[in-house]
Amino acid sequence: MPRVLVFVQEVDGAPSSLGLELLTKGSSIGDAEVVYLGAGSNAAWSILGAHGAQVVHHAGAADVLPGAPLAEAIAALASAGGHDLILFGQAYDDRDIAGRLAVRLDRTVLANAVDIALGEDGVHTRHEILGGSKVASAKFTGPAPYIVLIRPKSFPAMAGEPAQPEVIPLSINQGTSPAMVLESHVEERAGPKLEEAAVIVSGGRGLGSAAGYELVEALARRLGGATGATRAIVDAGWVPYAMQVGQTGKTVKPDIYIACGISGAMQHLVGMKDAKTIIAINKDPDAPIFSLADLGIVGDVHKVLPKLLEALGNR
Ligand code: FAD
């Protein structure tokens, strides 16, 4: 079996959902080991075990930017361990570590992958390019280990039978990091996390103003969902960047995505096109979002959303 090393970061005291997605995939193609960055706990080890980790290399919590020390530690681990594949998510720290690791190991990185498979002739990847309008296939030709950065929500995170992985401390030299983390904040939110919500109500420039976004928040509250946004209204300062969905924002895969006053630019679609059901409200019947929507309402958001809220209130 190929040996697969998966980088998993701790978020809010637990393995990140992105890390668990990669681990689920990694353990389906080989013997999976995890490099875990975070305080860790018995609960975290159980979650990792259930998602297929046989071994956890525990790097502990770092108060420096982890790119340089983690790349150094993973390079030593992979050189000694003969790992075939090293998986990272398409996320800030992951990209920093993967780039530095590639230099240390003298290997390439294939980035922005949405799928990965092990064939007779090696590791194949698929990548969405040009804002998701085209898919490119790639194959590594050099020697292992192969380093791949994978987009969030490319695979489901699936827990299997309970299992306890072996946990081995991984020492990292924080002194090699060129930057300290001075402050960090937990993202404020009233409802579920955007990346994990089953229902997302998202708003765009068609809402007219920051005040118009209150309709989106009201509908999300009523449906127990999260709120999202286009870059246009993030750039306009109506909502924080944490809510941005799309190429330069978050990738989401909810059961229901309700797009309110959103045109459907490719850079937005790439972040939400895999939602199970897409409902669009737009006053322009030719808006590109309607070509993707399962259900379209041609109308003014300022009339449709209050009516929808009223109808939901009456149920
Ligand atoms: P618009 O395109 O202006 O659309 C507004 C829509 O509202 C229109 O379709 C209009 O018909 C409709 N409307 C107007 N009034 C009403 C009303 N009263 N009722 C109903 N409908 C109404 N965008 C993202 O979203 N996410 C990204 O991550 C992202 N990354 C980008 C990266 C790059 C490199 C670039 C170049 C662009 C990126 N963009 C991104 C921007 C993207 O190209 C679009 O500009 C943006 O998504 C448009 O946002 P919008 O739909 O809110 O606004």
Side-chain angles (χ1 to χ4, degrees), residues 226-300:
T227 49
T230 64
R231 176 164 160 178
I233 72 165
V234 170
D235 287 351
W238 298 359
V239 295
Y241 169 69
M243 290 184 184
Q244 185 178 316
V245 172
Q247 185 181 321
T248 44
K250 289 183 175 147
T251 304
V252 296
K253 214 172 182 176
D255 292 337
I256 299 174
Y257 189 90
I258 307 178
C260 309
I262 292 176
S263 61
M266 188 49 79
Q267 294 89 353
H268 185 76
L269 301 187
V270 74
M272 44 63 79
K273 65 180 171 38
D274 292 326
K276 279 196 197 132
T277 301
I278 296 170
I279 301 169
I281 307 167
N282 195 305
K283 68 177 186 185
D284 174 6
D286 296 322
I289 189 83
F290 286 131
S291 61
L292 191 71
D294 298 282
L295 177 69
I297 302 171
V298 179
D300 184 337

Side-chain angles (χ1 to χ4, degrees), residues 25-296:
K25 184 65 181 180
S27 61
S28 75
I29 52 182
D31 290 336
E33 297 176 27
V34 162
V35 169
Y36 190 80
L37 180 65
S41 62
N42 286 337
W45 311 148
S46 301
I47 293 170
L48 294 171
H51 285 80
Q54 297 181 2
V55 178
V56 176
H57 303 276
H58 180 209
D63 48 14
V64 295
L65 273 193
L70 251 296
E72 185 181 33
I74 297 174
L77 196 62
S79 302
H83 295 89
D84 302 285
L85 191 57
I86 308 178
L87 302 183
F88 291 93
Q90 193 78 23
Y92 290 111
D93 288 334
D94 296 51
R95 281 188 289 210
D96 191 14
I97 301 165
R100 293 167 183 275
L101 180 63
V103 174
R104 284 186 170 272
L105 295 177
D106 192 21
R107 297 290 185 273
T108 192
V109 182
L110 287 182
N112 213 24
V114 291
D115 200 5
I116 179 163
L118 201 64
E120 294 274 298
D121 58 342
V123 174
H124 292 250
T125 51
R126 282 158 60 83
H127 307 257
E128 285 185 351
I129 57 168
L130 302 174
S133 58
K134 300 257 185 298
V135 175
S137 301
K139 179 172 108 62
F140 285 98
T141 51
Y146 306 118
I147 306 169
V148 185
L149 281 162
I150 296 179
R151 280 179 68 95
K153 304 290 171 205
S154 295
F155 315 112
M158 287 191 295
E161 295 294 311
Q164 278 303 325
E166 182 187 356
V167 180
I168 304 169
L170 178 69
S171 92
I172 60 167
N173 179 3
Q174 299 205 26
T176 60
S177 178
M180 296 282 300
V181 177
L182 295 179
E183 253 185 285
S184 58
H185 303 272
V186 175
E187 200 180 292
E188 280 181 34
R189 60 171 191 272
K193 226 174 161 181
L194 184 56
E195 303 93 307
E196 287 159 21
V199 177
I200 295 176
V201 186
S202 234
R205 199 150 32 194
L207 293 165
S209 67
Y213 196 78
E214 283 167 19
L215 286 168
V216 165
E217 290 172 328
L219 183 58
R221 255 195 320 274
R222 185 63 59 82
L223 299 175
T227 49
T230 64
R231 176 164 160 178
I233 72 165
V234 170
D235 287 351
W238 298 359
V239 295
Y241 169 69
M243 290 184 184
Q244 185 178 316
V245 172
Q247 185 181 321
T248 44
K250 289 183 175 147
T251 304
V252 296
K253 214 172 182 176
D255 292 337
I256 299 174
Y257 189 90
I258 307 178
C260 309
I262 292 176
S263 61
M266 188 49 79
Q267 294 89 353
H268 185 76
L269 301 187
V270 74
M272 44 63 79
K273 65 180 171 38
D274 292 326
K276 279 196 197 132
T277 301
I278 296 170
I279 301 169
I281 307 167
N282 195 305
K283 68 177 186 185
D284 174 6
D286 296 322
I289 189 83
F290 286 131
S291 61
L292 191 71
D294 298 282
L295 177 69

